[in-house]
Amino acid sequence: MSSLLSTARALLRPEPVPSPVYRDAVIGLLAGAAGTLLMGQWSTRITPLITSTKGGQSDKPQPDKDVISPLGQEHVPGESSTAALGRHLYQLINHQMPQKGTRTALSEAVHWGTGVIGGAAYGALAGQKQGPLTGVLFGAGLWLVLDETITPLLGLQDGPRGADVRTHANRLGAHLAYGLGLGLSAAALNAALPD
């Protein structure tokens, strides 16, 4: 009789079954924040070493050299792709140009939003295989698909021939740093959190 009552209770109030994809995506989201933080450190500490100008070259923003977007150039010279996207979203919502300080905040918001959403996608895709190697591979894939393909096709940055090898190497390095931080953090969170 008690087993019949237990079965009836289980049918009336079933225990929710946790979704492993949901858990993995949440872990990836949290790890994406760590990866974004490491990518920011790359940009602050390593980028100046890679992209410093020598021999009297100008630091002034240069016009696009390789526009591959069917939409045309959607960024201003010297504007990062995250700043351009943030500016476009702001103009779409507010119908006016954001002030300089707002543009900086929008760029950071796009950068962090992309990083944590990318982390959630990584977590859902990688599942229990989240780790440093899969994170680095994911970062390289993001560089190739987003940075080298989709972003120029949207006109948010120059096409591939519009940047020198150092710039491409720097962007790849930043995405590899993101992937490493993402993978290490996801592995640590997987080990620390119960299933």
Side-chain angles (χ1 to χ4, degrees):
M1 181 73 156
S2 66
S3 65
L4 184 60
L5 285 174
S6 298
T7 305
R9 282 190 195 119
L11 290 172
L12 293 174
R13 283 187 270 141
E15 291 292 320
V17 178
S19 167
V21 174
Y22 173 77
R23 178 188 181 277
D24 294 337
V26 169
I27 286 174
L29 184 116
L30 296 171
T36 304
L37 183 63
L38 190 57
M39 186 181 203
Q41 289 300 306
W42 176 280
S43 297
T44 302
R45 300 177 190 281
I46 307 298
T47 295
L49 301 174
I50 295 173
T51 61
S52 66
T53 57
K54 295 178 183 166
Q57 293 177 351
S58 172
D59 281 340
K60 283 182 172 178
Q62 302 296 315
D64 275 3
K65 299 174 188 165
D66 184 31
V67 179
I68 65 170
S69 173
L71 306 171
Q73 181 176 331
E74 294 294 321
H75 69 283
V76 296
E79 182 180 44
S80 70
S81 58
T82 56
L85 182 57
R87 177 177 50 80
H88 282 291
L89 293 173
Y90 185 90
Q91 287 177 301
L92 183 69
I93 294 167
N94 293 313
H95 308 290
Q96 61 184 352
M97 181 70 82
Q99 299 295 321
K100 185 177 181 177
T102 303
R103 281 185 277 190
T104 302
L106 290 167
S107 178
E108 280 295 307
V110 168
H111 175 68
W112 280 89
T114 304
V116 296
I117 290 169
Y122 163 76
L125 292 170
Q128 294 298 314
K129 294 181 179 151
Q130 297 176 29
L133 179 60
T134 57
V136 168
L137 291 173
F138 185 77
L142 284 180
W143 168 76
L144 183 62
V145 173
L146 287 180
D147 202 65
E148 294 291 311
T149 307
I150 293 174
T151 304
L153 284 173
L154 291 174
L156 298 173
Q157 73 183 25
D158 287 355
R161 293 174 299 190
D164 61 11
V165 172
R166 290 185 308 170
T167 302
H168 289 289
N170 176 55
R171 290 176 183 163
L172 174 59
H175 284 85
L176 293 177
Y178 168 78
L180 181 63
L182 172 69
L184 286 171
S185 300
L189 287 169
N190 264 314
L193 297 174
D195 286 335

